[in-house]
Amino acid sequence: MINVDAIYYSLAKIEKQNKAYTLMEDDPEMKMRVLENMIKEFDLIGDAALEGIKESTELLKKIGSEDISKKIEDMSNKIKG
């Protein structure tokens, strides 16, 4: 599933980079590097989210409605005993 820790870490890095950016004087090259790093972190967040969506979709495909109804019936039979 989605690695929430990785997303949290990326968001923390973005926040720090944003603060650094605002503290920089007139150094366009350094500002560009900071912006590039922020964009990379946003890409990582997007990649993590997409991977989680893919895994969830695959799981839903595996579970299918027939499997769910069969499992419910099996559980009902076990409870009835």
Side-chain angles (χ1 to χ4, degrees):
M1 294 299 152
I2 297 174
N3 186 346
V4 178
D5 291 334
I7 292 173
Y8 179 79
Y9 177 74
S10 288
L11 289 172
K13 280 181 75 175
I14 290 168
E15 186 176 337
K16 287 177 186 176
Q17 291 169 349
N18 192 31
K19 288 178 183 177
Y21 182 85
T22 58
L23 295 174
M24 288 182 183
E25 296 288 324
D26 294 327
D27 190 349
E29 186 175 325
M30 286 302 291
K31 284 186 171 188
M32 284 301 289
R33 286 185 189 166
V34 170
L35 290 173
E36 287 171 357
N37 288 337
M38 290 171 71
I39 290 169
K40 287 178 187 176
E41 291 301 322
F42 279 117
D43 282 344
L44 290 174
I45 291 170
D47 291 345
L50 283 175
E51 191 60 35
I53 291 168
K54 286 179 187 177
E55 290 174 8
S56 297
T57 302
E58 287 300 315
L59 183 61
L60 286 172
K61 286 179 183 177
K62 288 179 185 177
I63 294 176
S65 60
E66 288 180 27
D67 289 340
I68 291 174
S69 62
K70 183 179 177 193
K71 288 179 183 183
I72 291 171
E73 184 179 331
D74 291 345
M75 292 300 287
S76 295
N77 290 336
K78 285 181 183 179
I79 292 172
K80 290 176 186 175

Coordinates of all heavy atoms in Angstrom, one line a residue:
M1 N 0.8 -1.2 0.0 CA 0.0 0.0 0.0 C 0.9 1.3 0.0 O 2.1 1.2 -0.1 CB -0.9 0.0 1.2 CG -2.0 -1.1 1.2 SD -3.0 -1.0 -0.2 CE -3.5 -2.6 -0.5
I2 N 0.3 2.4 0.2 CA 1.0 3.7 0.1 C 1.9 3.8 1.3 O 1.5 3.6 2.5 CB 0.0 4.8 0.1 CG1 -0.8 4.8 -1.2 CG2 0.8 6.2 0.1 CD1 -1.9 5.8 -1.3
N3 N 3.2 4.1 1.1 CA 4.1 4.3 2.2 C 4.0 5.7 2.7 O 4.6 6.7 2.2 CB 5.6 4.1 1.6 CG 6.6 4.1 2.7 OD1 6.3 4.6 3.8 ND2 7.8 3.6 2.4
V4 N 3.2 5.8 3.8 CA 2.9 7.1 4.3 C 4.1 7.8 4.9 O 4.3 9.0 4.8 CB 1.8 7.0 5.4 CG1 1.5 8.3 6.0 CG2 0.5 6.4 4.8
D5 N 5.0 7.0 5.5 CA 6.3 7.5 6.1 C 7.1 8.2 5.0 O 7.6 9.3 5.2 CB 7.1 6.4 6.7 CG 6.4 5.9 8.0 OD1 5.7 6.7 8.6 OD2 6.7 4.8 8.4
A6 N 7.2 7.7 3.8 CA 8.0 8.3 2.7 C 7.3 9.6 2.3 O 8.0 10.6 2.0 CB 8.1 7.3 1.6
I7 N 6.0 9.6 2.2 CA 5.3 10.9 1.9 C 5.5 11.9 2.9 O 5.8 13.1 2.6 CB 3.8 10.6 1.6 CG1 3.6 9.7 0.4 CG2 3.0 11.9 1.5 CD1 2.2 9.2 0.1
Y8 N 5.4 11.5 4.2 CA 5.6 12.5 5.3 C 7.1 13.0 5.2 O 7.3 14.2 5.4 CB 5.4 11.8 6.6 CG 5.6 12.7 7.8 CD1 4.7 13.7 8.2 CD2 6.8 12.6 8.5 CE1 4.9 14.5 9.3 CE2 7.0 13.5 9.6 CZ 6.0 14.4 10.0 OH 6.3 15.2 11.0
Y9 N 8.0 12.2 5.0 CA 9.4 12.6 4.9 C 9.6 13.6 3.7 O 10.3 14.6 3.9 CB 10.3 11.4 4.7 CG 11.8 11.7 4.5 CD1 12.5 12.1 5.6 CD2 12.4 11.6 3.3 CE1 13.9 12.4 5.4 CE2 13.7 11.9 3.1 CZ 14.5 12.3 4.2 OH 15.8 12.6 4.0
S10 N 9.0 13.3 2.6 CA 9.1 14.2 1.4 C 8.5 15.5 1.7 O 9.0 16.6 1.4 CB 8.4 13.6 0.2 OG 9.2 12.5 -0.3
L11 N 7.3 15.5 2.4 CA 6.7 16.8 2.7 C 7.5 17.6 3.7 O 7.6 18.8 3.6 CB 5.3 16.5 3.3 CG 4.2 16.0 2.4 CD1 3.0 15.6 3.1 CD2 3.9 17.1 1.3
A12 N 8.2 16.9 4.6 CA 9.0 17.7 5.6 C 10.2 18.3 4.8 O 10.6 19.4 5.1 CB 9.5 16.7 6.7
K13 N 10.8 17.5 3.9 CA 11.9 18.1 3.1 C 11.4 19.3 2.3 O 12.1 20.3 2.2 CB 12.5 17.0 2.2 CG 13.4 16.0 2.8 CD 13.9 15.0 1.9 CE 15.0 15.6 1.0 NZ 15.7 14.6 0.1
I14 N 10.2 19.2 1.7 CA 9.7 20.3 0.9 C 9.5 21.5 1.8 O 9.9 22.7 1.4 CB 8.4 19.9 0.2 CG1 8.6 18.9 -0.9 CG2 7.7 21.1 -0.3 CD1 7.4 18.2 -1.4
E15 N 9.0 21.3 3.0 CA 8.8 22.5 3.9 C 10.2 23.1 4.2 O 10.3 24.3 4.2 CB 8.2 22.0 5.2 CG 7.8 23.1 6.1 CD 7.0 22.6 7.3 OE1 6.4 21.6 7.3 OE2 7.1 23.3 8.3
K16 N 11.2 22.3 4.5 CA 12.5 22.9 4.8 C 13.1 23.6 3.6 O 13.7 24.7 3.8 CB 13.5 21.7 5.2 CG 13.2 21.2 6.6 CD 14.1 20.0 6.9 CE 13.8 19.4 8.3 NZ 14.6 18.2 8.6
Q17 N 12.9 23.0 2.5 CA 13.5 23.7 1.2 C 12.7 25.0 1.0 O 13.4 26.0 0.5 CB 13.4 22.7 0.1 CG 14.3 21.5 0.2 CD 14.1 20.5 -0.8 OE1 13.1 20.5 -1.5 NE2 15.0 19.5 -0.9
N18 N 11.5 25.0 1.2 CA 10.7 26.2 1.0 C 11.2 27.3 2.0 O 11.3 28.5 1.6 CB 9.2 26.0 1.3 CG 8.3 27.1 0.8 OD1 8.7 27.8 -0.1 ND2 7.2 27.3 1.5
K19 N 11.5 27.0 3.2 CA 12.0 27.9 4.2 C 13.4 28.4 3.7 O 13.7 29.6 3.8 CB 12.1 27.3 5.6 CG 10.8 27.1 6.2 CD 10.9 26.5 7.6 CE 9.5 26.3 8.2 NZ 9.6 25.5 9.5
A20 N 14.2 27.5 3.3 CA 15.5 27.9 2.8 C 15.4 28.8 1.6 O 16.2 29.8 1.5 CB 16.3 26.7 2.4
Y21 N 14.5 28.6 0.7 CA 14.3 29.4 -0.5 C 13.9 30.8 -0.1 O 14.5 31.8 -0.6 CB 13.2 28.8 -1.3 CG 12.9 29.6 -2.6 CD1 13.7 29.4 -3.7 CD2 11.9 30.6 -2.7 CE1 13.4 30.1 -4.9 CE2 11.7 31.3 -3.8 CZ 12.5 31.0 -4.9 OH 12.2 31.7 -6.1
T22 N 13.1 31.0 0.9 CA 12.7 32.3 1.3 C 13.8 33.1 2.0 O 13.8 34.3 2.0 CB 11.4 32.3 2.3 OG1 11.7 31.5 3.4 CG2 10.2 31.7 1.6
L23 N 14.7 32.3 2.6 CA 15.9 33.0 3.3 C 17.0 33.4 2.3 O 17.8 34.2 2.7 CB 16.4 32.1 4.4 CG 15.5 31.8 5.6 CD1 16.1 30.8 6.5 CD2 15.1 33.1 6.3
M24 N 17.0 32.8 1.2 CA 18.1 33.1 0.2 C 18.0 34.5 -0.3 O 16.9 35.0 -0.6 CB 18.0 32.1 -1.0 CG 18.5 30.8 -0.6 SD 18.4 29.7 -2.0 CE 18.9 28.2 -1.3
E25 N 19.1 35.1 -0.5 CA 19.1 36.5 -1.0 C 19.0 36.4 -2.5 O 18.2 35.7 -3.0 CB 20.5 37.2 -0.6 CG 20.6 37.4 0.9 CD 19.7 38.5 1.4 OE1 19.5 39.5 0.7 OE2 19.2 38.3 2.6
D26 N 19.9 37.1 -3.2 CA 19.8 37.1 -4.7 C 20.8 36.1 -5.3 O 21.8 36.5 -5.9 CB 20.1 38.5 -5.2 CG 19.1 39.5 -4.8 OD1 17.9 39.1 -4.7 OD2 19.4 40.7 -4.5
D27 N 20.5 34.8 -5.1 CA 21.4 33.8 -5.7 C 20.4 32.9 -6.6 O 19.9 31.9 -6.1 CB 22.0 33.0 -4.6 CG 23.1 32.0 -5.2 OD1 23.2 31.9 -6.4 OD2 23.8 31.4 -4.4
P28 N 20.2 33.3 -7.8 CA 19.3 32.6 -8.7 C 19.7 31.1 -8.9 O 18.8 30.3 -9.0 CB 19.4 33.4 -10.0 CG 20.2 34.6 -9.8 CD 20.8 34.5 -8.5
E29 N 21.0 30.8 -8.9 CA 21.4 29.5 -9.2 C 21.0 28.6 -8.0 O 20.4 27.5 -8.1 CB 22.9 29.4 -9.4 CG 23.4 28.0 -9.7 CD 24.9 28.0 -10.0 OE1 25.4 29.0 -10.6 OE2 25.5 26.9 -9.7
M30 N 21.2 29.1 -6.8 CA 20.8 28.3 -5.6 C 19.3 28.2 -5.5 O 18.8 27.1 -5.1 CB 21.4 28.9 -4.3 CG 22.8 28.7 -4.1 SD 23.3 27.0 -4.1 CE 22.6 26.5 -2.5
K31 N 18.6 29.2 -5.8 CA 17.1 29.2 -5.8 C 16.6 28.1 -6.8 O 15.6 27.4 -6.5 CB 16.5 30.5 -6.1 CG 16.6 31.5 -4.9 CD 15.9 32.8 -5.2 CE 15.8 33.7 -4.0 NZ 14.9 34.8 -4.2
M32 N 17.2 28.0 -7.9 CA 16.8 27.0 -8.9 C 17.0 25.6 -8.4 O 16.2 24.7 -8.6 CB 17.5 27.2 -10.2 CG 17.0 28.4 -11.1 SD 15.3 28.2 -11.5 CE 15.4 26.9 -12.7
R33 N 18.2 25.4 -7.7 CA 18.5 24.1 -7.2 C 17.4 23.7 -6.1 O 17.0 22.6 -6.1 CB 19.8 24.1 -6.5 CG 20.9 24.0 -7.5 CD 22.3 23.9 -6.9 NE 23.4 24.1 -7.8 CZ 24.6 24.3 -7.5 NH1 25.0 24.3 -6.3 NH2 25.5 24.4 -8.5
V34 N 17.1 24.7 -5.3 CA 16.1 24.4 -4.3 C 14.7 24.1 -4.9 O 14.0 23.1 -4.5 CB 15.9 25.6 -3.3 CG1 14.7 25.4 -2.4 CG2 17.2 25.8 -2.5
L35 N 14.3 24.8 -5.9 CA 13.1 24.5 -6.6 C 13.1 23.2 -7.3 O 12.1 22.4 -7.3 CB 12.8 25.6 -7.6 CG 12.4 27.0 -7.0 CD1 12.3 28.0 -8.2 CD2 11.1 26.9 -6.3
E36 N 14.2 22.8 -7.9 CA 14.4 21.5 -8.5 C 14.2 20.4 -7.5 O 13.6 19.4 -7.8 CB 15.7 21.4 -9.3 CG 15.8 22.2 -10.5 CD 17.2 22.3 -11.1 OE1 18.1 21.7 -10.5 OE2 17.3 22.9 -12.2
N37 N 14.8 20.6 -6.3 CA 14.7 19.6 -5.3 C 13.3 19.4 -4.8 O 12.8 18.3 -4.5 CB 15.6 19.9 -4.1 CG 17.1 19.7 -4.4 OD1 17.4 18.9 -5.3 ND2 17.9 20.4 -3.7
M38 N 12.6 20.6 -4.7 CA 11.2 20.5 -4.3 C 10.3 19.7 -5.3 O 9.5 18.9 -5.0 CB 10.6 21.9 -4.1 CG 11.2 22.6 -2.9 SD 10.8 24.4 -2.8 CE 9.1 24.3 -2.4
I39 N 10.6 20.0 -6.6 CA 9.9 19.3 -7.6 C 10.1 17.8 -7.6 O 9.2 17.0 -7.7 CB 10.2 19.9 -9.0 CG1 9.6 21.3 -9.1 CG2 9.7 19.0 -10.2 CD1 10.1 22.1 -10.3
K40 N 11.4 17.4 -7.3 CA 11.7 16.0 -7.2 C 10.9 15.3 -6.1 O 10.5 14.2 -6.2 CB 13.2 15.8 -7.0 CG 14.0 16.1 -8.2 CD 15.5 16.0 -7.9 CE 16.4 16.4 -9.1 NZ 17.8 16.4 -8.8
E41 N 10.8 16.1 -5.0 CA 10.1 15.5 -3.8 C 8.6 15.3 -4.1 O 8.0 14.3 -3.8 CB 10.3 16.4 -2.6 CG 11.7 16.3 -2.0 CD 12.1 15.0 -1.6 OE1 11.3 14.2 -1.0 OE2 13.3 14.7 -1.8
F42 N 8.0 16.3 -4.8 CA 6.6 16.2 -5.3 C 6.5 15.0 -6.2 O 5.5 14.3 -6.1 CB 6.1 17.5 -5.9 CG 5.7 18.5 -4.9 CD1 6.4 19.7 -4.9 CD2 4.7 18.3 -4.0 CE1 6.0 20.7 -4.0 CE2 4.3 19.3 -3.1 CZ 5.0 20.5 -3.1
D43 N 7.4 14.8 -7.1 CA 7.4 13.6 -8.0 C 7.4 12.3 -7.2 O 6.7 11.4 -7.5 CB 8.6 13.6 -9.0 CG 8.4 14.6 -10.1 OD1 7.2 15.0 -10.3 OD2 9.4 14.9 -10.8
L44 N 8.3 12.3 -6.1 CA 8.3 11.1 -5.3 C 7.0 10.8 -4.6 O 6.5 9.6 -4.5 CB 9.4 11.2 -4.2 CG 10.9 11.2 -4.8 CD1 11.9 11.5 -3.6 CD2 11.2 9.8 -5.4
I45 N 6.3 11.9 -4.1 CA 5.0 11.7 -3.5 C 4.0 11.2 -4.5 O 3.3 10.2 -4.2 CB 4.5 13.1 -2.9 CG1 5.4 13.5 -1.7 CG2 3.1 13.0 -2.5 CD1 5.2 14.9 -1.3
G46 N 4.0 11.7 -5.7 CA 3.1 11.2 -6.8 C 3.4 9.8 -7.1 O 2.5 9.0 -7.3
D47 N 4.7 9.4 -7.2 CA 5.0 8.0 -7.6 C 4.6 7.1 -6.5 O 4.0 6.0 -6.8 CB 6.5 7.9 -7.8 CG 7.0 8.6 -9.0 OD1 6.2 9.0 -9.9 OD2 8.3 8.8 -9.1
A48 N 4.7 7.5 -5.2 CA 4.3 6.6 -4.1 C 2.8 6.4 -4.1 O 2.3 5.3 -3.9 CB 4.7 7.2 -2.8
A49 N 2.1 7.5 -4.4 CA 0.6 7.4 -4.4 C 0.1 6.6 -5.6 O -0.7 5.7 -5.4 CB 0.0 8.8 -4.6
L50 N 0.8 6.7 -6.8 CA 0.4 5.9 -7.9 C 0.7 4.4 -7.7 O -0.1 3.5 -8.0 CB 1.1 6.3 -9.2 CG 0.6 7.6 -9.8 CD1 1.5 8.0 -11.0 CD2 -0.8 7.4 -10.4
E51 N 1.8 4.1 -7.0 CA 2.1 2.7 -6.7 C 1.1 2.1 -5.8 O 0.6 1.0 -5.9 CB 3.5 2.7 -6.1 CG 4.0 1.3 -6.0 CD 4.2 0.5 -7.3 OE1 4.5 1.1 -8.3 OE2 3.9 -0.7 -7.3
G52 N 0.7 2.9 -4.8 CA -0.4 2.5 -3.9 C -1.7 2.2 -4.6 O -2.4 1.2 -4.3
I53 N -2.0 3.1 -5.5 CA -3.3 2.9 -6.3 C -3.2 1.6 -7.1 O -4.1 0.8 -7.2 CB -3.5 4.1 -7.1 CG1 -3.9 5.3 -6.3 CG2 -4.6 3.9 -8.2 CD1 -3.9 6.7 -7.0
K54 N -2.0 1.4 -7.7 CA -1.9 0.2 -8.6 C -2.0 -1.1 -7.7 O -2.7 -2.0 -8.1 CB -0.5 0.2 -9.2 CG -0.4 1.1 -10.4 CD 1.1 1.1 -10.9 CE 1.3 2.1 -12.0 NZ 2.7 2.1 -12.5
E55 N -1.4 -1.1 -6.5 CA -1.4 -2.2 -5.6 C -2.9 -2.5 -5.2 O -3.3 -3.6 -5.1 CB -0.5 -2.0 -4.4 CG 1.0 -2.1 -4.8 CD 1.9 -1.8 -3.7 OE1 1.4 -1.6 -2.5 OE2 3.1 -1.7 -3.9
S56 N -3.6 -1.4 -4.8 CA -5.0 -1.5 -4.4 C -5.8 -2.1 -5.5 O -6.7 -2.9 -5.3 CB -5.5 -0.2 -3.9 OG -4.8 0.3 -2.8
T57 N -5.6 -1.6 -6.7 CA -6.4 -2.0 -7.9 C -6.2 -3.5 -8.1 O -7.1 -4.3 -8.4 CB -6.0 -1.2 -9.1 OG1 -6.3 0.2 -8.9 CG2 -6.8 -1.7 -10.3
E58 N -4.9 -3.9 -8.0 CA -4.6 -5.4 -8.2 C -5.3 -6.2 -7.1 O -5.8 -7.3 -7.4 CB -3.1 -5.6 -8.2 CG -2.4 -5.1 -9.4 CD -2.9 -5.8 -10.7 OE1 -3.0 -7.0 -10.7 OE2 -3.1 -5.1 -11.7
L59 N -5.2 -5.7 -5.9 CA -5.9 -6.4 -4.8 C -7.4 -6.6 -5.1 O -8.0 -7.7 -4.9 CB -5.6 -5.7 -3.5 CG -6.2 -6.4 -2.2 CD1 -5.6 -7.8 -2.1 CD2 -5.9 -5.5 -1.0
L60 N -8.0 -5.5 -5.5 CA -9.5 -5.6 -5.8 C -9.7 -6.6 -6.9 O -10.7 -7.3 -6.9 CB -10.0 -4.2 -6.2 CG -10.1 -3.2 -5.0 CD1 -10.5 -1.8 -5.5 CD2 -11.2 -3.7 -4.0
K61 N -8.9 -6.6 -7.9 CA -9.0 -7.6 -9.0 C -9.0 -9.0 -8.5 O -9.7 -9.9 -9.0 CB -8.0 -7.3 -10.1 CG -8.2 -6.1 -11.0 CD -7.1 -5.9 -12.0 CE -7.3 -4.7 -12.8 NZ -6.2 -4.5 -13.7
K62 N -8.0 -9.2 -7.6 CA -7.8 -10.6 -7.1 C -9.0 -11.0 -6.2 O -9.4 -12.2 -6.2 CB -6.6 -10.6 -6.2 CG -5.3 -10.6 -7.0 CD -4.1 -10.6 -6.0 CE -2.8 -10.5 -6.8 NZ -1.7 -10.4 -5.9
I63 N -9.7 -10.1 -5.5 CA -10.7 -10.4 -4.6 C -12.1 -10.6 -5.4 O -12.9 -11.4 -4.9 CB -10.9 -9.3 -3.5 CG1 -9.7 -9.3 -2.7 CG2 -12.1 -9.5 -2.7 CD1 -9.7 -8.2 -1.6
G64 N -12.3 -10.0 -6.4 CA -13.5 -10.2 -7.3 C -14.8 -10.5 -6.5 O -14.7 -11.1 -5.4
S65 N -15.9 -10.2 -7.0 CA -17.2 -10.4 -6.3 C -17.5 -11.8 -6.1 O -18.1 -12.2 -5.0 CB -18.3 -9.7 -7.1 OG -18.4 -10.3 -8.4
E66 N -17.1 -12.8 -7.0 CA -17.4 -14.2 -6.7 C -16.6 -14.7 -5.5 O -17.2 -15.4 -4.7 CB -17.0 -15.0 -8.0 CG -18.0 -14.8 -9.1 CD -17.6 -15.6 -10.3 OE1 -16.9 -16.7 -10.1 OE2 -17.9 -15.2 -11.4
D67 N -15.4 -14.3 -5.4 CA -14.6 -14.7 -4.2 C -15.2 -14.2 -2.9 O -15.2 -14.9 -2.0 CB -13.2 -14.2 -4.4 CG -12.4 -14.9 -5.5 OD1 -12.8 -16.0 -5.8 OD2 -11.3 -14.3 -5.9
I68 N -15.7 -12.9 -3.0 CA -16.2 -12.4 -1.8 C -17.5 -13.1 -1.3 O -17.7 -13.5 -0.2 CB -16.5 -10.9 -1.9 CG1 -15.2 -10.1 -2.1 CG2 -17.4 -10.3 -0.8 CD1 -15.4 -8.6 -2.4
S69 N -18.4 -13.4 -2.3 CA -19.6 -14.1 -2.0 C -19.3 -15.5 -1.5 O -19.9 -16.0 -0.5 CB -20.6 -14.1 -3.1 OG -20.0 -14.8 -4.2
K70 N -18.3 -16.1 -2.1 CA -17.9 -17.5 -1.6 C -17.4 -17.4 -0.2 O -17.7 -18.3 0.6 CB -16.9 -18.1 -2.6 CG -16.5 -19.5 -2.2 CD -15.5 -20.1 -3.2 CE -15.1 -21.5 -2.7 NZ -14.0 -22.0 -3.3
K71 N -16.5 -16.5 0.1 CA -15.9 -16.3 1.4 C -17.0 -16.0 2.5 O -17.0 -16.6 3.6 CB -14.9 -15.3 1.5 CG -13.6 -15.7 0.7 CD -12.5 -14.6 0.8 CE -11.4 -15.1 -0.1 NZ -10.3 -14.2 0.0
I72 N -18.0 -15.2 2.1 CA -19.1 -14.9 3.0 C -19.9 -16.2 3.3 O -20.2 -16.5 4.5 CB -20.0 -13.8 2.5 CG1 -19.2 -12.5 2.5 CG2 -21.3 -13.7 3.3 CD1 -20.0 -11.4 1.8
E73 N -20.2 -17.0 2.3 CA -20.9 -18.2 2.4 C -20.1 -19.2 3.3 O -20.7 -19.8 4.2 CB -21.2 -18.8 1.1 CG -22.0 -20.1 1.1 CD -22.3 -20.6 -0.3 OE1 -22.3 -19.8 -1.2 OE2 -22.5 -21.9 -0.4
D74 N -18.8 -19.3 3.1 CA -18.0 -20.2 3.9 C -18.0 -19.8 5.3 O -18.1 -20.6 6.2 CB -16.5 -20.2 3.3 CG -16.4 -20.9 2.0 OD1 -17.3 -21.6 1.6 OD2 -15.3 -20.7 1.4
M75 N -17.9 -18.5 5.6 CA -17.9 -18.0 7.0 C -19.2 -18.3 7.6 O -19.3 -18.6 8.8 CB -17.5 -16.5 7.0 CG -16.1 -16.2 6.6 SD -14.9 -17.0 7.7 CE -15.1 -16.0 9.2
S76 N -20.3 -18.1 6.9 CA -21.7 -18.3 7.4 C -21.8 -19.8 7.8 O -22.4 -20.1 8.8 CB -22.7 -18.0 6.4 OG -22.7 -16.6 6.1
N77 N -21.3 -20.7 6.9 CA -21.4 -22.1 7.2 C -20.5 -22.5 8.4 O -21.0 -23.3 9.2 CB -20.9 -22.9 6.0 CG -21.9 -22.8 4.8 OD1 -23.1 -22.6 5.0 ND2 -21.4 -23.0 3.6
K78 N -19.4 -21.8 8.6 CA -18.6 -22.1 9.8 C -19.3 -21.7 11.0 O -19.2 -22.3 12.1 CB -17.2 -21.4 9.7 CG -16.3 -22.1 8.7 CD -14.9 -21.4 8.6 CE -14.1 -22.0 7.5 NZ -12.8 -21.4 7.4
I79 N -19.9 -20.5 11.0 CA -20.6 -20.0 12.1 C -21.8 -20.9 12.5 O -22.1 -21.1 13.7 CB -21.1 -18.5 11.9 CG1 -19.8 -17.6 11.8 CG2 -22.0 -18.0 13.0 CD1 -20.1 -16.2 11.3
K80 N -22.5 -21.3 11.5 CA -23.7 -22.2 11.7 C -23.3 -23.5 12.3 O -24.0 -24.2 12.9 CB -24.5 -22.4 10.4 CG -25.2 -21.1 10.0 CD -25.9 -21.3 8.7 CE -26.5 -20.0 8.2 NZ -27.1 -20.2 6.8
G81 N -22.0 -23.9 11.9 CA -21.4 -25.0 12.4 C -21.6 -26.4 12.2 O -21.6 -27.4 12.6

